[in-house]
Amino acid sequence: MVGQRSIIETEKLVKAKLGDTPISHEQMAVVANIYRAASAVRQHVENSVLRGSDLTWTGFVVLWVVWISGETETRLVAEEAGISKGTLTGVARTLESRGLVRRSEHPSDGRRVLLGLTDEGEALMQSLFPAFNAEEAFVAAPLSDEECRTTADALRRIVVQVESLGEERRLELLDGAEPAPRRSGRRPKA
């Protein structure tokens, strides 16, 4: 990509800046590369597959969650998609206006909302997923099947670490306090 440093160039700059700093360099590289890989894959798939269906990555992930899980409470869709309930509301409205999802009341609690695919949403996922998966195969092509399994397992262990111990760690780091609220786009004064 024009104007973007390659991963090799970035790693050289980091090493030059932090080379002798007593930090966990290997672990820093893992987390940085998870982020960079996720961003690169997301951008590639949006530009090569999803754009033709007028979908964003987030829209696709919401469709995927509902396609795999079936009709699901919106709170759980947001959690599984890794987005806020507010973001899901906007995404769901867009997908609903395109006839891909439908909202319905929860059968036992009218305050809760369920999200399900329409027939059009089901048809889109049936036709779109093979192309999406072909790009997953393209992205992972440099790895053998064994390396794919090993990488997937290592990433799974990282996710389990954060899911099972992340809250405890956060409380420890913040001495049990809640994190400070985010500022609404305002930057702190320098």
Side-chain angles (χ1 to χ4, degrees):
M1 176 149 284
V2 177
Q4 182 179 345
R5 285 188 189 93
S6 74
I7 193 168
I8 304 301
E9 293 167 325
T10 301
E11 287 174 345
K12 285 179 183 176
L13 288 171
V14 169
K15 186 165 180 59
K17 184 74 171 183
L18 301 174
D20 294 332
T21 305
I23 59 172
S24 302
H25 290 273
E26 290 76 15
Q27 292 75 10
M28 177 185 68
V30 167
V31 172
N33 287 340
I34 288 170
Y35 174 78
R36 189 148 184 160
S39 294
V41 169
R42 177 180 178 153
Q43 186 173 26
H44 170 74
V45 174
E46 280 185 332
N47 291 332
S48 63
V49 176
L50 301 180
R51 187 169 289 164
S53 296
D54 196 26
L55 286 173
T56 63
W57 177 269
T58 305
F60 175 80
V61 171
V62 167
L63 289 172
W64 167 262
V65 168
V66 178
W67 187 47
I68 295 301
S69 303
E71 189 174 60
T72 306
E73 189 178 331
T74 54
R75 172 183 59 85
L76 299 173
V77 173
E79 286 175 14
E80 195 66 27
I83 58 176
S84 70
K85 289 187 290 184
T87 298
L88 177 62
T89 298
V91 171
R93 276 192 193 124
T94 299
L95 295 173
E96 189 175 32
S97 74
R98 294 187 51 204
L100 301 173
V101 299
R102 68 183 178 312
R103 290 187 243 204
S104 58
E105 275 189 24
H106 190 279
S108 63
D109 185 346
R111 296 170 297 172
R112 298 182 349 209
V113 177
L114 301 174
L115 203 57
L117 290 186
T118 62
D119 290 343
E120 293 83 11
E122 179 72 31
L124 175 64
M125 289 304 289
Q126 289 283 347
S127 66
L128 183 60
F129 186 70
F132 185 94
N133 183 249
E135 293 315 299
E136 290 175 315
F138 165 77
V139 165
L143 305 177
S144 69
D145 286 349
E146 181 60 33
E147 288 171 318
C148 285
R149 284 188 289 277
T150 300
T151 302
D153 181 59
L155 292 171
R156 190 176 300 107
R157 292 192 330 253
I158 289 169
V159 170
V160 167
Q161 168 77 359
V162 174
E163 287 178 348
S164 63
L165 300 174
E167 180 66 9
E168 182 180 317
R169 175 71 172 172
R170 181 191 66 77
L171 289 170
E172 178 185 312
L173 291 172
L174 298 177
D175 289 328
E178 288 298 315
R182 293 182 191 265
R183 297 176 187 238
S184 58
R186 295 176 295 166
R187 294 188 181 249
K189 294 181 181 178

